[in-house]
């Protein structure tokens, strides 16, 4: 056992309102400068949708992350490191600026400076790349709220996998939001892709950073990251990425995106894991086993053996304590409601998600029965608008069972709490049905619903 | 799932490791080249501590100070923010998280904010920032020439504006570039000269000020409002103008709007979001809804599209746009049937008797055909047994079921005023048990004709249904409850008439099946949601809530929609209960320290009354939209009506409303009020007598009877904290054409002869360019600044001191300067003082002291409410009564105006504070102690007219004054106000504030942290003991009446005009039919001009009104310019694909935008999110050859006659409390694909 500590995040998508405050505060703080105009360390995607950069999840095109080779060894999907070194001067798997978007501004000053003229002055869009007039045709969030769905949403790589389950018709509409930052993976393929050794994981907290002095701008990290969360600063010629706000985290402040999240859906905490097990877990043969495999890598910080090993590894006592009260640990391992994003990329991502509930489709509501009625609770889960297969492709490599169980837990929590809310005796069979105790369900309710500041971070 | 090389898990040589051997060997060498640690398995690289390469990010995260401030943008957010400053430059902002706790068992308010607020600092140094004063070049040149010719600024201004050719020259240049820099001295001198000239030539009521929403920055609002009021100018209303005022609230509650804070959503057991897209429009508060679901709350969304909030709902009811009233009526049908008739629900019944007008008796009037119509509330004046009672016409009657006799319960309007009512204005029923129904042995079954409007075009019809009735004092009466059952079509045995056979009867209003035809919501779903809503209310004693918003409130008939909603929350006993009732969130109307703000804003400390105008009617006349109305007001009448509106246009009704004193009307008369006062003084008669004589003789007329005559034009309009022309100006092109004379894309034709007003003069040629001066103060360029004659550079929200409150939480927030106002910008408080000083300098010489005649309408919360017994219309002009000021016409008050002293008065708190006190909602506060406190706190003014008075020189002084003069922020005033109220109510109240009697919130408190307010009689709910705010809890728990006729919540309204429109009771009225009214094509029709669709303008995700829509961050996250959302079906009809340039055209104007095509939109409806200004990426339109318009280029004003009613109980005017709404949702447009080659 080699204990290491990792800062991690869980986002409760069921609470995400898609407001993009996280994106704006992050951008203001970190990438509001020349060379990074198009860069959003934090972005929010409407799903179904293409994401940012477009179709980044289509690894058949972009070749990000890891795969197993014929011998079962873990290898970069974009080609082994040797291949990377040999093709260092021509990188075909780099998204172009058009795959992100061509950033622009407007000639605002004309509003004030326009001479007397025939028409009301107007500020036209100007490319921040070329300086020329342009028509805006794509942005970091073009398909927000299913905008342009008729034209573009079918290019959503996840949708392609579950295609026939989804029809883009008014009556069938569903959507949810997916906020994304760097995953600060336990097994980062960006770092492995870097020919310069410029990308590293901080030993103490696992934050993945680009050494700005060492980066030579080869951009292999950009290709290597399946989440496309490393960006190229075209002014400095260096790669940049989400830093997990380390200058804030180091002094006890949550990341900007977390603290400013008005949906109160982001949790930050420390996880202890066994570094010796990462490679084996990432090499799990069955992609649908990767979720469980990654959970196996995490260590129970209350386990005396783990605490002993942690001390030996030089992890301070207060860090071990922090790991014990970590909301991340509770959500991932105790309540098991948080799931990793695309475990099949084999990077062992460390930003996890609670999948969203959604309205029921008409099937239930036309029967005149109350889908919130306890008897109908589980029937309602099956009638949710968001196809469970879609969520499973995001979080469990297509295995619907874990997603289904999470949604049932959320529904059970609501059903159980309703009795308490209305002053009735709670029904112990509800938590039992989802394999939880009454106390566990109530504690989960506290963490998800009350979500006090000092319990979120 | 990824593919690629598939490992065979059963291969015996499967190994754990990376890549192949050669690669591994190469990579392993890196371990010797780096300072970090390559993991043993070679996957990754670790490093620890002190990394110099990270310095860039460490340096970026560093700052010199963090300043607390907030944003003032009418978003209802009122969020506390940290503004970061480095090297004297504002860098960015993040939310404060230090809100006082809501309690250990609830979520908290932190962190409040949204992406728009997070992007605000961009404006500080952006190229759209207004850094200097600007004047249009052509005007400035003329002014300089005239001044050098005349030497005097006032003469110079007159030289320009009094010459038609010169005036036309600068007016026609408005909005077309050519702004040039000027100095503050020169700009304010010209502005001051314009004011002086206008006062002298036309009079003070020809000057208007527009600045909305005091709650969003009270001091900044008060700055120009104080100046405008002190010179006798007119402040224009905003809440009704924005159509944010739910007129149903004054109608039902007698209250402008009072709603729960967002933390109270947590208390609800059942929550319907109805036309309110919480994640978009209540971004900082939406989490309460998301979290309350985890507490077992059921959530339902009613929205025509798959809106952002639908994601959170358990169920989505996609009711067709504008048909929400039909769904609500059907839900009411189900609730009345299942919870009142099929079985009695004790909680609902008891609530209905105590807190609603359900048991009150209504007279039934025979209509000749053997049937009856609901008439008036039975009052003590109608019954000989009550002869001699004070205010008998305003004491309403119930039948005591114990005795079978009529009784007048406490708490009616008649108890509120006059000596006999002292101590009995309360809801205590004592021993009385009001009968809900007249049914019983002694009852007759009487057939009542009730109106219906459910035909496709909304035309009127009838339905006859029986009610049980009895004779009381010889009069045939029934109860409101009995009428409600008839109206809703809930049958009881033994009653004749046309009743639905079952829920599945689709022919009869208001069954679930009936609504399905109209709304598209399945009947079973409507019935079930109604049942669940009521069942939850029964199970929880009223914790069912409806969050309702602009999607349902911005319609022409929104008052009927809302009354149908409020019937649901009131029948089920949810109003006045934490976690229950209505939650209307449209507009940041809740200025919690309302009393202090009002004194400052309207200069009530120096002179009273101020002029306050209903803005919708103002612009309806002054932008000549009335000339384009092609239909009579009687188009809207019910078939049950008596023809009162026959032959009248809307403009005629405005004139009626003005002369009867129902609504204010400025300019008031067709003569300068200074001259009227002088004439009266010369003749030695009281001014009111003089005016009445002149009116009777016809020598004097109301200005609204001839709005196109030059003496009745508005001459000066000052705008600050607002973007009229890029945002709220419904009928934008009418503004550009008639008000500004700037040319327009207007395509509408004027009303033909025969359809023109009868009492309002018609000029063959409509005037263009009525306004002489448009002055705007802003920090960024908008359509309003670009069309202004003078633009003054304003400080932003990070550059001044101010106060901010909202409905959504109980805290007072401060604005604070992170930096001093940069370039030549000034705070609004400072700028208006500068204007006032220049003005006073010129006015002392040119105007001196003059007398002014102010016409004041009959006011709410005063005995004026008793001017019109039974709400009967009496028109003195028609000879139906005498013109009596304050009874049958406006009050006429003479006011002295020392124009040279205006600047001195601006900056000192005046003596009327001690002399008259401060009055809010009928409670007068003695503020002597507060004035002494302020003198000590702010210091006293020395010398001049304000000598010895507390200083208001600085914005912080104004903040302190607002806080010290309001009950919500001064515990002593709150307690004293409750004690005053106790004398009238006769029930204990002051304990509600006693816990904070010694607490006085100072500005420093608000700078330190969000500061909770104190429970005060200024509002109807209670925060006492730290509870969440819910409105009307004081009414329910302490038996304090609502400010209505009965003192209860009203289902029934009996004013003549409301009866004429068939709206005595909740009723469904469909959206207006623009085909029938204006010959627009039918929705769904496709021609060579394009597809006709319903045109809705909901609030945007990427802006707050027009603010932020020009912000580069928001533009980058959206589509970067004006867009219209449409369904894939509609797009296909006209060959449009996503991001195509399209044009939307109707009679009102032209819009050029790009299409967003999505399947989440319903067919037949498009959304153009409101207030995307024309300044960002808007090309020249093909249809007009001019710059494309804004969202309001396709809308126009349409005034509902019943909104003009006044002078009767809760239907009496107060500023922003009652007035016609500037609704805009009933519109249609034709959309087509345009050439993709665009010109700018």
């Amino acid at each position: 056992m080699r204990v290491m500590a990792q800062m991690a995040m869980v986002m409760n998508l069921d609470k995400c309102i898609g407001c993009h405050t996280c994106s704006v505060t992050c951008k203001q703080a970190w990438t509001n400068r020349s060379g990074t105009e198009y860069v959003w360390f934090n972005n929010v995607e409407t799903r179904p949708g293409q994401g940012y950069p477009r179709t980044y999840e289509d690894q058949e095109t972009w070749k990000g992350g890891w795969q197993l080779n014929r011998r079962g060894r873990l290898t970069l999907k974009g080609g082994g490191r040797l291949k990377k070194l040999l093709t260092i001067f021509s990188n075909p798997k780099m998204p172009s600026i058009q795959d992100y978007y061509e950033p622009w501004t407007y000639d605002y000053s004309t509003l004030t400076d326009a001479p007397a003229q025939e028409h009301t002055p107007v500020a036209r869009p100007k490319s921040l790349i070329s300086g020329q007039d342009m028509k805006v045709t794509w942005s970091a969030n073009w398909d927000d709220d299913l905008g342009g769905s008729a034209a573009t949403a079918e290019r959503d790589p996840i949708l392609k996998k579950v295609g026939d389950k989804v029809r883009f018709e008014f009556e069938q509409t569903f959507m949810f939001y997916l906020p994304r930052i760097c995953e600060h993976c336990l097994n980062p393929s960006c770092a492995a892709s870097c020919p310069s050794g410029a990308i590293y994981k901080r030993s103490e907290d696992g934050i993945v950073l680009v050494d700005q002095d060492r980066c030579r701008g080869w951009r292999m990290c950009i290709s290597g990251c399946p989440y496309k969360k490393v960006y190229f600063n075209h002014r400095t010629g260096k790669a940049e990425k989400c830093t997990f706000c380390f200058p804030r985290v180091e002094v006890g402040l949550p990341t900007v995106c977390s603290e400013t999240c008005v949906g109160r859906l982001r949790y930050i905490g420390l996880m202890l894991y066994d570094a010796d097990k990462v490679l084996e877990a990432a090499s799990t043969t069955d992609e649908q086993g990767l979720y469980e495999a990654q959970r196996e890598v995490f260590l129970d910080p209350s386990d005396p053996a783990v605490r002993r090993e942690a001390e030996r590894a030089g992890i301070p006592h207060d860090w071990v304590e922090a790991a014990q009260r970590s909301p991340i640990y509770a959500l991932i391992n105790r309540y098991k409601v948080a799931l990793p994003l695309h475990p099949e990329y084999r990077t062992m991502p460390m930003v996890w998600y609670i999948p969203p509930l959604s309205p029921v489709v008409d099937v239930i509501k036309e029967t005149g029965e109350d889908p919130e009625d306890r008897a109908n609770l589980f029937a309602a889960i099956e009638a949710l608008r968001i196809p469970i297969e879609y969520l499973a492709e995001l979080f469990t490599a297509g295995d619907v069972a874990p997603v289904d169980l999470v949604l049932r837990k959320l529904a059970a929590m609501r059903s159980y709490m309703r009795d308490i809310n209305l002053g009735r005796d709670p029904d112990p069979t509800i938590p039992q049905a989802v394999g939880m105790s009454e106390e566990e369900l109530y504690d989960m309710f506290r963490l998800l619903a009350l979500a006090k500041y000092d319990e979120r971070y | 799932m990824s593919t690629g090389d598939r490992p065979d898990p059963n291969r015996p040589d499967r190994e754990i490791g990376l890549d192949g051997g050669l690669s591994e060997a190469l990579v392993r060498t890196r371990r010797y080249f780096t300072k970090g640690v390559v993991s043993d398995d070679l996957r990754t690289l670790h490093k620890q501590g002190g990394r110099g390469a990270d310095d860039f990010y460490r340096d970026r995260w560093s700052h010199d100070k963090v300043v607390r401030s907030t944003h003032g943008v009418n978003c209802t957010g009122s969020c506390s923010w940290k503004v970061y400053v480095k090297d004297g430059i504002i860098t960015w902002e993040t939310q404060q998280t230090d809100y006082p706790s809501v309690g250990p068992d609830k979520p908290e308010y932190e962190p409040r904010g949204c992406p728009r607020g997070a992007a605000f600092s961009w404006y500080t140094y952006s190229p759209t920032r207004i850094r200097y004063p600007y004047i249009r070049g052509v005007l400035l040149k003329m002014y300089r020439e005239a001044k050098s010719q005349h030497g005097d600024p006032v003469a110079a201004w007159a030289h320009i504006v009094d010459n038609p050719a010169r005036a036309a020259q600068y007016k026609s240049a408005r909005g077309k570039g050519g702004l040039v820099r000027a100095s503050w001295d020169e700009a304010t001198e010209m502005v001051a000269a314009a004011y002086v000239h206008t006062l002298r030539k036309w009079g003070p009521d020809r000057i208007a000020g527009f600045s909305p929403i005091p709650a969003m920055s009270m001091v900044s609002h008060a700055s120009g409002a104080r100046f405008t009021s002190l010179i006798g100018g007119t402040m224009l209303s905003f809440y009704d103008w924005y159509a944010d005022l739910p007129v149903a609230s004054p109608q039902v509650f007698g209250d402008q709007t009072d709603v729960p804070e967002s933390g109270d959503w947590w208390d609800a057991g059942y929550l319907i979001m109805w036309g309110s897209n919480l994640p978009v429009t209540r971004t900082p508060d939406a989490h309460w809804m998301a979290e309350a679901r985890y507490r077992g709350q059921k959530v339902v969304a009613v929205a025509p599209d798959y809106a952002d909030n639908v994601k959170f709902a358990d169920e989505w009811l996609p009711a067709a746009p504008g048909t929400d009233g039909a769904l609500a009526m059907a839900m009411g049908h189900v609730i009345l049937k299942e919870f009142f008739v099929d079985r009695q629900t004790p909680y609902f019944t008891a609530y209905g008797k105590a807190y609603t007008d359900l048991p009150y008796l209504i007279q039934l009037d025979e209509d000749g055909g053997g049937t009856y119509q609901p008439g008036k509330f039975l009052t003590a004046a109608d019954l000989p047994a009550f002869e001699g009672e004070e205010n008998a016409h305003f004491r309403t009657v119930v039948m005591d079921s114990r005795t079978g006799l009529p009784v007048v319960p406490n708490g009616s309007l008649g108890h509120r005023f006059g000596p006999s009512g002292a101590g009995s204005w309360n809801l205590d029923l004592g021993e009385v048990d009001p009968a809900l129904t007249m049914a019983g042995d002694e009852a007759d079954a009487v057939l009542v004709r009730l109106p219906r409007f459910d035909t496709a075009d909304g035309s009127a019809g009838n339905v006859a249904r029986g009610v049980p009735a009895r004779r009381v004092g010889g009069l045939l009466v029934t109860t409101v409850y009995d009428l409600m059952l008839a109206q809703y079509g809930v049958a009881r045995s033994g009653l004749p008439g046309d009743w639905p056979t079952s829920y599945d009867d689709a022919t009869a209003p208001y069954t679930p099946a009936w609504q399905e035809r109209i709304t598209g919501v399945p009947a079973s779903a409507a019935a079930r949601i109604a049942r669940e809503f009521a069942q939850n209310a029964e199970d929880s004693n009223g914790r069912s809530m409806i969050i309702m918003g602009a999607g349902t409130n911005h319609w022409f008939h929104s008052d009927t929609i809302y009354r149908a909603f409020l019937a649901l929350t009131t029948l089920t006993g949810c109003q006045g209960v934490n976690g229950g009732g209505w939650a209307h969130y449209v507009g940041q109307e809740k200025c919690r320290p309302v009393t202090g703000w009002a004194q400052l804003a309207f200069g009530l400390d120096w002179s009273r009354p101020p002029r306050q105008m209903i803005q919708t009617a103002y612009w309806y006349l002054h932008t000549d939209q009335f000339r384009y109305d092609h239909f009579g007001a009687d188009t809207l009448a019910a078939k049950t009506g008596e023809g009162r509106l026959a032959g009248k246009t809307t403009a005629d009704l405005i004139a009626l409303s003005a002369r009867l004193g129902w609504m204010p009307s400025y300019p008031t008369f067709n003569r300068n009020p200074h001259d009227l006062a002088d004439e009266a003084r010369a003749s030695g008669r009281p001014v009111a007598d003089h005016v009445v004589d002149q009116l009777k003789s016809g020598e004097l007329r109301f200005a609204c009877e001839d709005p196109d005559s030059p003496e009745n034009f508005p001459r000066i309009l000052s705008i600050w904290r607002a973007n009229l022309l890029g945002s709220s100006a419904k009928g934008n092109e009418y503004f550009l054409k008639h008000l500004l004379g700037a040319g327009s894309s207007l395509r509408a034709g004027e009303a033909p002869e025969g359809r023109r007003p009868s009492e309002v003069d018609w000029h063959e040629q409509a005037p263009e360019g009525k306004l002489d001066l448009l002055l705007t103060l802003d920090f960024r360029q908008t359509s309003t600044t670009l069309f202004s004659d003078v633009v003054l550079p304003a400080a932003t929200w990070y550059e001044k001191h101010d106060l901010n409150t909202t409905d959504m939480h109980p805290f007072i927030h401060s604005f604070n300067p992170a930096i001093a106002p940069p370039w030549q910008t000034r705070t609004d408080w400072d700028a208006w003082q500068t204007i006032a000083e220049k003005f006073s300098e010129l006015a002392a010489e040119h105007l001196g002291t003059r007398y002014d005649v102010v016409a004041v309408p009959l006011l709410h919360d005063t005995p004026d409410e008793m001017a019109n017994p039974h709400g009967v219309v009496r028109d003195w002009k028609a000879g139906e009564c005498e013109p009596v000021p304050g009874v049958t016409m406006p009050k006429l008050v003479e006011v002295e105006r020392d124009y040279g002293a205006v600047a001195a008065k601006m900056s000192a708190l005046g003596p009327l504070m001690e002399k008259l006190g401060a009055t809010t909602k009928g409670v007068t506060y003695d503020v002597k102690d507060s004035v002494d406190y302020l003198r000590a706190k702010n210091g006293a003014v020395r010398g001049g007219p304000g000598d010895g008075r507390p200083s208001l020189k600085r914005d912080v002084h104004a903040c302190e004054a607002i806080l010290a003069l309001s009950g919500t922020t001064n515990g002593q005033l709150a307690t004293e106000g409750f004690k005053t109220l106790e004398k009238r109510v006769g029930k204990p109240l002051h304990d509600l504030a006693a816990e904070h009697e010694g607490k006085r919130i100072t500005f420093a408190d608000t700078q330190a942290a969000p500061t909770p307010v104190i429970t005060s009689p200024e509002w109807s709910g209670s925060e006492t003991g730290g509870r969440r705010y819910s409105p009307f809890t004081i009414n329910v728990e302490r038996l304090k009446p609502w400010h209505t006729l009965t003192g209860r919540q009203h289902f029934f309204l009996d004013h003549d005009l409301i009866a004429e429109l068939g709206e005595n009771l909740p009723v469904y009225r469909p959206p207006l039919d623009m085909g029938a009214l204006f010959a627009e094509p039918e929705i769904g029709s496709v021609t060579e001009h394009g597809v006709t669709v319903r045109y809705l303008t909901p609030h945007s995700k990427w802006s707050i009104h027009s603010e932020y829509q020009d912000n580069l961050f928001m533009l980058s996250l959206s589509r970067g310019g004006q867009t219209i959302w449409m369904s894939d079906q509609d797009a296909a009809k006209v060959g449009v694909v996503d991001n195509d340039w399209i044009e939307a055209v109707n009679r009102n104007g032209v819009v050029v935008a790009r299409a967003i095509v999505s399947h989440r939109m319903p067919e037949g409806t498009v959304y153009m999110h409101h207030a995307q200004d024309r300044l960002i990426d808007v090309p020249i339109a093909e249809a007009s050859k001019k710059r494309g318009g804004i969202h309001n280029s396709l809308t126009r004003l349409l005034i509902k006659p019943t909104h003009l009613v006044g002078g009767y109980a809760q239907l009496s005017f107060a500023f922003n409390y009652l007035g016609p709404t500037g609704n805009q949702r009933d519109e249609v447009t034709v959309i087509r694909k345009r050439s993709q080659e665009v010109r700018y």
Side-chain angles (χ1 to χ4, degrees), chain A residues 222-242:
Chain A
I222 296 167
S223 311
C225 172
Y227 303 95
K228 292 292 168 278
K229 276 294 174 189
V230 192
Y231 303 86
F232 185 63
N233 179 329
H234 56 78
R235 187 168 176 107
T236 61
K238 313 264 188 189
E240 290 199 48
K241 61 178 291 301
C242 159

Side-chain angles (χ1 to χ4, degrees), chain B residues 281-296:
Chain B
T281 60
R282 304 303 125 188
T283 309
D285 303 292
H287 71 86
W288 289 103
M289 173 267 300
E291 287 155 347
R293 293 177 309 146
Y294 294 169
R295 200 182 165 218

